[in-house]
Amino acid sequence: MKEGQPQAIELKNYQVPPYLIDSTELHVEINEDVTRVTTTLQVRKNPDSTAMVTDLVLNGAVELVNKSITINDRELLSNEFGRDQDLLTLYAVPESFTLRTQVDIKPQDNTALEGLYKSGDMFCTQCEAEGFRNITWFLDRPDVMSKYRTTINADKRRYPILLSNGNDIARGEEGERHWVTWEDPFMKPAYLFALVAGDLQHVDDTFVTMSGRAVKLQIFTEAHNIDKVDYAMLALKNAMRWDEQAYGREYDLDIFMIVAVESFNMGAMENKGLNIFNTSCVLARPDTTTDQGYQRVESVVGHEYFHNWSGNRVTCRDWFQLSLKEGFTVLRDQQFSATMGSPTVCRINDVATLRGAQFPEDAGPMAHPIRPDTYIEINNFYTATVYEKGAEVVGMIQTLLGPDQFRRGTDLYFDRHDGQAVTTEEFVKAMEDATQVDLTQFRRWYSQAGTPVLKIQSHFDSAEQTYTLSVTQSCPPTPGQTQKLPFHLPLAIGLLDQAGADMPLTLMDNEAVQTPQVANVQDEAGSHTVVLNLTEARQHFVFTNISEKPVPSLLRGFSAPVKLNYDYSRDELMFLMSHDSNGFNRWDAAQRLAVDVIQEVVEQIQQGRTPQVDPRLIKACESNLDQAVARHTDLTLDKAMIAEMLVLPAETYLAELFTVADVDAIHAAREAVRLAIATQLAGVLLAVYKLNQDDRPFDVSASEVARRSLKNVALAYLMVPENTEMVPLCVAQFESANCMTDTSAAIRALVNSASPLALQAKEKALTTFYGRWQDEALVIDQWFSLQASCPLPGALDRVKALMQHSAFTMLNPNRLRSVIVAFAFQNNVNFHAKNGEGYGFLADTVIALNSINPLVAARILSPLTRWRKYDEQRQTLMRQHLQRILDTENLSKDVFEVVSKSL
Ligand SMILES: [Zn+2]
């Protein structure tokens, strides 16, 4: 944008809408060339608004072609309204009136996939955050809530299924065409509007709610995918039941529909009564979907369903409040998944996501609080901060209040604000009012960005029999916020005696202690956890009657989204790995030990020394594997834990821990550690592999998922050495696998192998895989992704070749991400090649995508924005390419905001 740079919108300038729209009647006539949208709005002045205005300003899009505008059935003259690009101003309107507009749009040309667009042969919508304005003139803001009645009119043969929100109240036919009218009895903001027209099949089911009402459930897909929705249906019914039990929330309409769409920017969308899903978040079949894919379906189906209360019944006042619905709903879907599977493994994965995606965001140029106070393009704030950190913040409220009190708080929140558009402040207030707990200081989590750092020191006094923890907290500066005030946070801890048992804990000052045992801290039997209230920059906690020097287990269950610094010795970490009563902290001790050892190897490599891997790390892995052999038959879920503990921290996470990330040394060090484990433990790895390799029929139960994950972690290690003899074993798994988890683990191990023996096998496997799955889009996405993320040399050439493949397209976000995100986000060593060719490639892709799909273009460029993390040469190259993007003609608001803030 050369002239008139995009303007920032600020929270402090919020004003209530000057007008309200009580009802919205849409008539959408779908044709192959243009779609005509006729909108009838009942508009009135907002009695709560003090703005002295008589003009009504409506949001739209430059693509809207005006056909007619009437007020109270009178066509407006050209001097009674003005249009400036995407705004329509109606001059001197009455206090209350009927507005009717008619526009033509071309959904088939809409490659940005916001508003009404075409995905394959079907029409569908995505209106959050501001897509509705691409369909018709409207007051497109979440605090304008309206009752919708929608009639869709389309060709009967091409689009036999016509869907919108609410209940289907009338239908009819006219020659080749037909129409259906839907009415949604609930008031809703425009972002929850949805419409679908297509030749779709559906699977039906019924759910009986806790008050005994029967709700019809329908999942719609194109014909070739209809055999992959059973798991989503099961997940939906489980989610509906869980929300009744855990939060007392019952579904409200008589019908709930999900539609699977191939081209979709996000994961899924919670439109009232008509959820629209990316196929990747709803389809699952054993031979096409990995266990991770199954878990994703369960969690996303739950997430979107839970929005019916946390998002739809109670919605956001403005987009700064996005975390009101997203943070809370992510917490709810995490709790749901934890109930369905292994709570500890779920927590490990949630924290790994937070550390891998959110911590870097907090440390980067786009850092923002979970309630941002300014934005240029709201699409850029659908972030790990708003979602995942937002969930941690609500989770901390639950930890501080305890589960019962928290439930009283959510009951009051839903009850008090049902049907309203509210703020995060009103959420916190409801929590306070229901429980009388003061959250004044806690509110800083909503306004301060950055990841707090806790430094903890301990002192054991054997004479006094006391143990003191001294805790300091600080938070690094973030853009626009140099000084931070101390946060209020729950620090869950335990102390282990020399036998590894939890000590009973008594604090000298009882006021700082909260009740232990809280839902978000995964506690096992025999544990004594206390939750300390941190509120000051520096605090001391003195435990009495401590007869021997304990090993502290700190931040149990990751009770707050912070970085923890405590000077653990490697022996202490090994002790915690085998004895901590908190499963999450056993895993975290393993991670800390691996990080410590890898950091040491990085230094050795930087000094030109031969890597020496601390034998204690190998020993720790060995004892885990020995346990997996010795207790093979009675371990079930623990297999997933052992698998998690054997996986080394990702290179992206390791890079975050260095001030200047030496990409090549980090990669080499991590590989050296992997090789040491693989060679020294080859025997027991093979034993574990064989014990867990069997061909019983596929089952997605948690214990089977655990078995497969342990087996495939072992396989990946077995394939690490260049002289591995395991290639035939890997090929055999590839050829005989009865599920995609095993197929994809085998082909990934082959593709990533540097063994000369694997060369031929990998080409053959890739050809076989493609040939077998070429009609399954989601499987082909995996085929692209596993090649683009392969860390072996020559990745960029492979990526460029993949983009020339006939199955590649920039128009489908899943396909685009399967190559670009796999390369730029997951293939650190190749993306950051010293000559900068990876950077140039990403910049070229962003520039090409800017005019096609700005939302996705802005997202994929984020690895470039982290230039401060790298050496001078890389910094210069990354900035040059960012500048090149900034200099592009017609840069979208989305891309402009991210690039300009990062430079
Ligand atoms: Zn959501």
Side-chain angles (χ1 to χ4, degrees), residues 162-178:
L162 304 174
L163 309 174
S164 190
N165 317 83
N167 302 309
D168 163 351
I169 56 163
R171 54 177 64 227
E173 300 191 6
E174 304 154 352
E176 299 292 294
R177 300 178 70 82
H178 69 148

Side-chain angles (χ1 to χ4, degrees), residues 30 118 230 285 310 519 541 596 747 755 771 812 844:
I30 291 174
K118 230 176 159 186
D230 293 348
R285 202 177 67 189
S310 49
F541 300 94
D596 206 36
I747 193 170
S755 157
N812 178 299
D844 290 344

Side-chain angles (χ1 to χ4, degrees), residues 128 268 270 303-304 307 325-326 329-330 387:
E128 187 178 357
E270 70 263 22
H303 179 96
E304 306 308 332
H307 269 314
K325 74 178 180 78
E326 294 306 342
T329 305
V330 169
Y387 278 65

Side-chain angles (χ1 to χ4, degrees), residues 644-703:
E644 294 288 353
M645 288 173 76
L646 288 166
V647 176
L648 298 178
E651 285 174 33
T652 40
Y653 174 60
L654 291 165
E656 280 308 310
L657 303 173
F658 289 88
T659 322
V660 177
D662 183 341
V663 187
D664 300 307
I666 291 173
H667 177 70
R670 188 174 181 277
E671 287 303 302
V673 174
R674 252 158 55 88
L675 182 65
I677 296 171
T679 46
Q680 294 178 46
L681 303 179
V684 68
L685 282 165
L686 186 59
V688 166
Y689 177 83
K690 286 188 169 161
L691 278 172
N692 289 286
Q693 167 70 332
D694 65 39
D695 40 18
R696 68 185 96 171
F698 176 83
D699 173 2
V700 74
S701 66
S703 60

Side-chain angles (χ1 to χ4, degrees), residues 368-390:
H368 52 276
I370 65 167
R371 184 191 57 216
D373 42 28
T374 174
Y375 63 78
I376 292 174
E377 171 52 65
I378 187 58
N379 283 337
N380 289 329
F381 288 82
Y382 285 72
T383 57
T385 300
V386 166
Y387 278 65
E388 273 74 27
K389 186 174 178 182

